Amino acid sequence: MTKIHDILAAIGSGTRYNLHSHTQFCDGHADMETMVQGAIAAGLTHYGFSPHGPVPIASPCNMAASDMNAYMSEVMRLRDKYSGIISLYAGMEVDYLGPQWGPSSPEVESYGLEYVIGSVHFVPAQNGEYADTDGPADRFRQYVESVFCGDLRYVVDRFFAQTQAMIEAGGLDIVGHFDKIGLNASSMQPGIEDKPWYARHIADTIDCMAAHGVIAEINTKARGRHGRFFPGERWWPQLFRAGVPVLVNSDAHDPARTDAHRTDALNLIESMP
């Protein structure tokens, strides 16, 4: 059983947290202790590990199930070592692959995590084959052409359908970067996020989060390189009107980015009426 409410109570009204980070157990660029040291240097007082969890398909970015014991043991070791300096939490970013795999899977529940970020990175093609819609724009374009039969609208529609199905299935505390598909989709079709049908996907996803009582992540990872958040700030008023709670996470993959652009997002939130 997750402990997200205990974590939120510990964080309180403070802003010195980050619950989305990656290390040597998946596609992060540093080991867990180095990431903790980076978080301390950035002035954070609450820090969560969230490796890309195991998936039943080939993926170079996801941790192996055989590493679970080592991961949990390292969380406990670091928690003891840095007690009184920073509070550390054992989380995971779990991919949703449909009814066969996701945050609600019994295997995920057995991990003993303190919180779960549910995210969609892989989208099923028309033939059922899953392809990664994250990553570089040129690779995304290749996948759209070769795996998804050139149908960009299909990819976007399926991404949001997967996201909503994941929320409805349960097992997650936080929805990770729920409009991330917009970045790569816009690289192929500029202005796609201005389409009424795209805005409908956003509204439906926000309604789904509100109905199921989950937290929306405002992800700051792409702020420096791409000048945007996930979700884009144009959608934040809808989130707030719907009463969906938010957490601002940096999705750090190296220690220098444990707090990257979080202040930008927090200041924007504070300035909103």
PDB file of all heavy atoms in Angstrom, residues 194-217:
ATOM      1  N   ASP A 194      -3.383  23.148 -30.641  1.00  0.00           N
ATOM      2  CA  ASP A 194      -4.430  24.165 -30.703  1.00  0.00           C
ATOM      3  C   ASP A 194      -5.734  23.616 -31.280  1.00  0.00           C
ATOM      4  O   ASP A 194      -6.747  24.321 -31.290  1.00  0.00           O
ATOM      5  CB  ASP A 194      -3.968  25.341 -31.576  1.00  0.00           C
ATOM      6  CG  ASP A 194      -2.727  26.024 -31.030  1.00  0.00           C
ATOM      7  OD1 ASP A 194      -2.615  26.114 -29.789  1.00  0.00           O
ATOM      8  OD2 ASP A 194      -1.870  26.441 -31.834  1.00  0.00           O
ATOM      9  N   LYS A 195      -5.718  22.386 -31.737  1.00  0.00           N
ATOM     10  CA  LYS A 195      -6.903  21.795 -32.344  1.00  0.00           C
ATOM     11  C   LYS A 195      -7.965  21.506 -31.281  1.00  0.00           C
ATOM     12  O   LYS A 195      -7.653  21.059 -30.180  1.00  0.00           O
ATOM     13  CB  LYS A 195      -6.545  20.493 -33.064  1.00  0.00           C
ATOM     14  CG  LYS A 195      -5.483  20.630 -34.151  1.00  0.00           C
ATOM     15  CD  LYS A 195      -5.988  21.443 -35.320  1.00  0.00           C
ATOM     16  CE  LYS A 195      -4.958  21.460 -36.454  1.00  0.00           C
ATOM     17  NZ  LYS A 195      -5.396  22.281 -37.600  1.00  0.00           N
ATOM     18  N   PRO A 196      -9.225  21.745 -31.590  1.00  0.00           N
ATOM     19  CA  PRO A 196     -10.291  21.464 -30.616  1.00  0.00           C
ATOM     20  C   PRO A 196     -10.304  20.016 -30.138  1.00  0.00           C
ATOM     21  O   PRO A 196     -10.568  19.754 -28.957  1.00  0.00           O
ATOM     22  CB  PRO A 196     -11.567  21.820 -31.380  1.00  0.00           C
ATOM     23  CG  PRO A 196     -11.132  22.845 -32.381  1.00  0.00           C
ATOM     24  CD  PRO A 196      -9.757  22.418 -32.803  1.00  0.00           C
ATOM     25  N   TRP A 197     -10.022  19.079 -31.021  1.00  0.00           N
ATOM     26  CA  TRP A 197     -10.048  17.678 -30.597  1.00  0.00           C
ATOM     27  C   TRP A 197      -8.926  17.372 -29.615  1.00  0.00           C
ATOM     28  O   TRP A 197      -9.093  16.530 -28.719  1.00  0.00           O
ATOM     29  CB  TRP A 197      -9.975  16.738 -31.804  1.00  0.00           C
ATOM     30  CG  TRP A 197      -8.728  16.844 -32.651  1.00  0.00           C
ATOM     31  CD1 TRP A 197      -8.575  17.576 -33.788  1.00  0.00           C
ATOM     32  CD2 TRP A 197      -7.478  16.185 -32.421  1.00  0.00           C
ATOM     33  NE1 TRP A 197      -7.301  17.434 -34.291  1.00  0.00           N
ATOM     34  CE2 TRP A 197      -6.608  16.576 -33.480  1.00  0.00           C
ATOM     35  CE3 TRP A 197      -7.000  15.318 -31.452  1.00  0.00           C
ATOM     36  CZ2 TRP A 197      -5.290  16.110 -33.569  1.00  0.00           C
ATOM     37  CZ3 TRP A 197      -5.690  14.847 -31.548  1.00  0.00           C
ATOM     38  CH2 TRP A 197      -4.857  15.252 -32.595  1.00  0.00           C
ATOM     39  N   TYR A 198      -7.776  18.070 -29.761  1.00  0.00           N
ATOM     40  CA  TYR A 198      -6.680  17.875 -28.808  1.00  0.00           C
ATOM     41  C   TYR A 198      -7.072  18.444 -27.441  1.00  0.00           C
ATOM     42  O   TYR A 198      -6.853  17.801 -26.393  1.00  0.00           O
ATOM     43  CB  TYR A 198      -5.409  18.552 -29.324  1.00  0.00           C
ATOM     44  CG  TYR A 198      -4.184  18.246 -28.485  1.00  0.00           C
ATOM     45  CD1 TYR A 198      -3.301  17.242 -28.860  1.00  0.00           C
ATOM     46  CD2 TYR A 198      -3.907  18.962 -27.320  1.00  0.00           C
ATOM     47  CE1 TYR A 198      -2.184  16.949 -28.086  1.00  0.00           C
ATOM     48  CE2 TYR A 198      -2.806  18.677 -26.537  1.00  0.00           C
ATOM     49  CZ  TYR A 198      -1.937  17.672 -26.931  1.00  0.00           C
ATOM     50  OH  TYR A 198      -0.833  17.388 -26.151  1.00  0.00           O
ATOM     51  N   ALA A 199      -7.670  19.613 -27.438  1.00  0.00           N
ATOM     52  CA  ALA A 199      -8.122  20.211 -26.191  1.00  0.00           C
ATOM     53  C   ALA A 199      -9.167  19.339 -25.502  1.00  0.00           C
ATOM     54  O   ALA A 199      -9.239  19.278 -24.268  1.00  0.00           O
ATOM     55  CB  ALA A 199      -8.692  21.607 -26.452  1.00  0.00           C
ATOM     56  N   ARG A 200      -9.966  18.618 -26.299  1.00  0.00           N
ATOM     57  CA  ARG A 200     -10.955  17.711 -25.725  1.00  0.00           C
ATOM     58  C   ARG A 200     -10.264  16.571 -24.987  1.00  0.00           C
ATOM     59  O   ARG A 200     -10.711  16.142 -23.916  1.00  0.00           O
ATOM     60  CB  ARG A 200     -11.847  17.158 -26.835  1.00  0.00           C
ATOM     61  CG  ARG A 200     -12.977  16.246 -26.381  1.00  0.00           C
ATOM     62  CD  ARG A 200     -14.051  17.066 -25.722  1.00  0.00           C
ATOM     63  NE  ARG A 200     -14.001  16.955 -24.272  1.00  0.00           N
ATOM     64  CZ  ARG A 200     -14.602  17.767 -23.443  1.00  0.00           C
ATOM     65  NH1 ARG A 200     -15.287  18.802 -23.889  1.00  0.00           N
ATOM     66  NH2 ARG A 200     -14.532  17.601 -22.142  1.00  0.00           N
ATOM     67  N   HIS A 201      -9.173  16.063 -25.562  1.00  0.00           N
ATOM     68  CA  HIS A 201      -8.395  15.021 -24.884  1.00  0.00           C
ATOM     69  C   HIS A 201      -7.887  15.522 -23.533  1.00  0.00           C
ATOM     70  O   HIS A 201      -7.932  14.794 -22.530  1.00  0.00           O
ATOM     71  CB  HIS A 201      -7.201  14.603 -25.744  1.00  0.00           C
ATOM     72  CG  HIS A 201      -7.536  13.635 -26.830  1.00  0.00           C
ATOM     73  ND1 HIS A 201      -8.332  12.534 -26.636  1.00  0.00           N
ATOM     74  CD2 HIS A 201      -7.137  13.579 -28.142  1.00  0.00           C
ATOM     75  CE1 HIS A 201      -8.437  11.848 -27.759  1.00  0.00           C
ATOM     76  NE2 HIS A 201      -7.730  12.467 -28.686  1.00  0.00           N
ATOM     77  N   ILE A 202      -7.393  16.741 -23.511  1.00  0.00           N
ATOM     78  CA  ILE A 202      -6.891  17.310 -22.264  1.00  0.00           C
ATOM     79  C   ILE A 202      -8.016  17.412 -21.238  1.00  0.00           C
ATOM     80  O   ILE A 202      -7.876  17.008 -20.073  1.00  0.00           O
ATOM     81  CB  ILE A 202      -6.273  18.697 -22.505  1.00  0.00           C
ATOM     82  CG1 ILE A 202      -5.015  18.592 -23.395  1.00  0.00           C
ATOM     83  CG2 ILE A 202      -5.941  19.376 -21.178  1.00  0.00           C
ATOM     84  CD1 ILE A 202      -3.823  17.926 -22.753  1.00  0.00           C
ATOM     85  N   ALA A 203      -9.140  17.947 -21.658  1.00  0.00           N
ATOM     86  CA  ALA A 203     -10.268  18.124 -20.743  1.00  0.00           C
ATOM     87  C   ALA A 203     -10.755  16.784 -20.209  1.00  0.00           C
ATOM     88  O   ALA A 203     -11.049  16.647 -19.007  1.00  0.00           O
ATOM     89  CB  ALA A 203     -11.408  18.860 -21.452  1.00  0.00           C
ATOM     90  N   ASP A 204     -10.835  15.793 -21.083  1.00  0.00           N
ATOM     91  CA  ASP A 204     -11.295  14.470 -20.650  1.00  0.00           C
ATOM     92  C   ASP A 204     -10.316  13.842 -19.662  1.00  0.00           C
ATOM     93  O   ASP A 204     -10.732  13.176 -18.701  1.00  0.00           O
ATOM     94  CB  ASP A 204     -11.472  13.551 -21.854  1.00  0.00           C
ATOM     95  CG  ASP A 204     -12.678  13.922 -22.712  1.00  0.00           C
ATOM     96  OD1 ASP A 204     -13.533  14.707 -22.238  1.00  0.00           O
ATOM     97  OD2 ASP A 204     -12.753  13.438 -23.852  1.00  0.00           O
ATOM     98  N   THR A 205      -9.030  14.045 -19.894  1.00  0.00           N
ATOM     99  CA  THR A 205      -8.024  13.487 -18.987  1.00  0.00           C
ATOM    100  C   THR A 205      -8.085  14.173 -17.633  1.00  0.00           C
ATOM    101  O   THR A 205      -7.986  13.517 -16.582  1.00  0.00           O
ATOM    102  CB  THR A 205      -6.618  13.636 -19.600  1.00  0.00           C
ATOM    103  OG1 THR A 205      -6.582  12.965 -20.872  1.00  0.00           O
ATOM    104  CG2 THR A 205      -5.563  13.006 -18.697  1.00  0.00           C
ATOM    105  N   ILE A 206      -8.261  15.479 -17.620  1.00  0.00           N
ATOM    106  CA  ILE A 206      -8.391  16.209 -16.360  1.00  0.00           C
ATOM    107  C   ILE A 206      -9.645  15.745 -15.609  1.00  0.00           C
ATOM    108  O   ILE A 206      -9.607  15.511 -14.390  1.00  0.00           O
ATOM    109  CB  ILE A 206      -8.420  17.725 -16.610  1.00  0.00           C
ATOM    110  CG1 ILE A 206      -7.039  18.206 -17.081  1.00  0.00           C
ATOM    111  CG2 ILE A 206      -8.859  18.478 -15.354  1.00  0.00           C
ATOM    112  CD1 ILE A 206      -7.000  19.652 -17.518  1.00  0.00           C
ATOM    113  N   ASP A 207     -10.744  15.590 -16.318  1.00  0.00           N
ATOM    114  CA  ASP A 207     -11.967  15.098 -15.680  1.00  0.00           C
ATOM    115  C   ASP A 207     -11.739  13.708 -15.091  1.00  0.00           C
ATOM    116  O   ASP A 207     -12.239  13.406 -13.994  1.00  0.00           O
ATOM    117  CB  ASP A 207     -13.115  15.049 -16.686  1.00  0.00           C
ATOM    118  CG  ASP A 207     -13.643  16.431 -17.057  1.00  0.00           C
ATOM    119  OD1 ASP A 207     -13.316  17.410 -16.348  1.00  0.00           O
ATOM    120  OD2 ASP A 207     -14.369  16.530 -18.065  1.00  0.00           O
ATOM    121  N   CYS A 208     -11.010  12.872 -15.797  1.00  0.00           N
ATOM    122  CA  CYS A 208     -10.728  11.520 -15.330  1.00  0.00           C
ATOM    123  C   CYS A 208      -9.888  11.556 -14.054  1.00  0.00           C
ATOM    124  O   CYS A 208     -10.149  10.820 -13.096  1.00  0.00           O
ATOM    125  CB  CYS A 208     -10.014  10.735 -16.429  1.00  0.00           C
ATOM    126  SG  CYS A 208      -9.841   8.966 -16.117  1.00  0.00           S
ATOM    127  N   MET A 209      -8.878  12.417 -14.019  1.00  0.00           N
ATOM    128  CA  MET A 209      -8.055  12.544 -12.822  1.00  0.00           C
ATOM    129  C   MET A 209      -8.882  13.033 -11.644  1.00  0.00           C
ATOM    130  O   MET A 209      -8.748  12.522 -10.519  1.00  0.00           O
ATOM    131  CB  MET A 209      -6.884  13.504 -13.087  1.00  0.00           C
ATOM    132  CG  MET A 209      -5.813  12.920 -13.998  1.00  0.00           C
ATOM    133  SD  MET A 209      -4.320  13.939 -14.101  1.00  0.00           S
ATOM    134  CE  MET A 209      -4.913  15.280 -15.127  1.00  0.00           C
ATOM    135  N   ALA A 210      -9.747  14.012 -11.892  1.00  0.00           N
ATOM    136  CA  ALA A 210     -10.586  14.537 -10.816  1.00  0.00           C
ATOM    137  C   ALA A 210     -11.519  13.461 -10.285  1.00  0.00           C
ATOM    138  O   ALA A 210     -11.713  13.333  -9.066  1.00  0.00           O
ATOM    139  CB  ALA A 210     -11.373  15.738 -11.316  1.00  0.00           C
ATOM    140  N   ALA A 211     -12.085  12.666 -11.174  1.00  0.00           N
ATOM    141  CA  ALA A 211     -13.039  11.637 -10.768  1.00  0.00           C
ATOM    142  C   ALA A 211     -12.385  10.538  -9.953  1.00  0.00           C
ATOM    143  O   ALA A 211     -13.033   9.915  -9.099  1.00  0.00           O
ATOM    144  CB  ALA A 211     -13.720  11.037 -12.003  1.00  0.00           C
ATOM    145  N   HIS A 212     -11.111  10.287 -10.190  1.00  0.00           N
ATOM    146  CA  HIS A 212     -10.432   9.171  -9.532  1.00  0.00           C
ATOM    147  C   HIS A 212      -9.477   9.617  -8.418  1.00  0.00           C
ATOM    148  O   HIS A 212      -8.784   8.784  -7.829  1.00  0.00           O
ATOM    149  CB  HIS A 212      -9.690   8.334 -10.567  1.00  0.00           C
ATOM    150  CG  HIS A 212     -10.625   7.577 -11.479  1.00  0.00           C
ATOM    151  ND1 HIS A 212     -11.141   6.343 -11.165  1.00  0.00           N
ATOM    152  CD2 HIS A 212     -11.168   7.919 -12.669  1.00  0.00           C
ATOM    153  CE1 HIS A 212     -11.949   5.945 -12.130  1.00  0.00           C
ATOM    154  NE2 HIS A 212     -11.982   6.878 -13.062  1.00  0.00           N
ATOM    155  N   GLY A 213      -9.438  10.920  -8.132  1.00  0.00           N
ATOM    156  CA  GLY A 213      -8.708  11.412  -6.976  1.00  0.00           C
ATOM    157  C   GLY A 213      -7.212  11.238  -7.023  1.00  0.00           C
ATOM    158  O   GLY A 213      -6.579  11.008  -5.992  1.00  0.00           O
ATOM    159  N   VAL A 214      -6.623  11.361  -8.227  1.00  0.00           N
ATOM    160  CA  VAL A 214      -5.177  11.233  -8.340  1.00  0.00           C
ATOM    161  C   VAL A 214      -4.537  12.617  -8.461  1.00  0.00           C
ATOM    162  O   VAL A 214      -5.219  13.622  -8.681  1.00  0.00           O
ATOM    163  CB  VAL A 214      -4.780  10.363  -9.548  1.00  0.00           C
ATOM    164  CG1 VAL A 214      -5.239   8.925  -9.346  1.00  0.00           C
ATOM    165  CG2 VAL A 214      -5.345  10.931 -10.844  1.00  0.00           C
ATOM    166  N   ILE A 215      -3.238  12.646  -8.318  1.00  0.00           N
ATOM    167  CA  ILE A 215      -2.456  13.876  -8.370  1.00  0.00           C
ATOM    168  C   ILE A 215      -1.904  14.055  -9.774  1.00  0.00           C
ATOM    169  O   ILE A 215      -1.443  13.092 -10.397  1.00  0.00           O
ATOM    170  CB  ILE A 215      -1.296  13.823  -7.359  1.00  0.00           C
ATOM    171  CG1 ILE A 215      -1.831  13.641  -5.935  1.00  0.00           C
ATOM    172  CG2 ILE A 215      -0.415  15.064  -7.455  1.00  0.00           C
ATOM    173  CD1 ILE A 215      -0.769  13.217  -4.938  1.00  0.00           C
ATOM    174  N   ALA A 216      -1.930  15.265 -10.287  1.00  0.00           N
ATOM    175  CA  ALA A 216      -1.315  15.572 -11.576  1.00  0.00           C
ATOM    176  C   ALA A 216       0.093  16.107 -11.346  1.00  0.00           C
ATOM    177  O   ALA A 216       0.306  16.971 -10.500  1.00  0.00           O
ATOM    178  CB  ALA A 216      -2.137  16.599 -12.342  1.00  0.00           C
ATOM    179  N   GLU A 217       1.022  15.595 -12.090  1.00  0.00           N
ATOM    180  CA  GLU A 217       2.386  16.115 -12.044  1.00  0.00           C
ATOM    181  C   GLU A 217       2.530  17.282 -13.007  1.00  0.00           C
ATOM    182  O   GLU A 217       2.075  17.212 -14.152  1.00  0.00           O
ATOM    183  CB  GLU A 217       3.373  15.022 -12.443  1.00  0.00           C
ATOM    184  CG  GLU A 217       4.806  15.518 -12.621  1.00  0.00           C
ATOM    185  CD  GLU A 217       5.730  14.441 -13.146  1.00  0.00           C
ATOM    186  OE1 GLU A 217       5.682  14.161 -14.369  1.00  0.00           O
ATOM    187  OE2 GLU A 217       6.482  13.886 -12.337  1.00  0.00           O
TER     188      GLU A 217
END
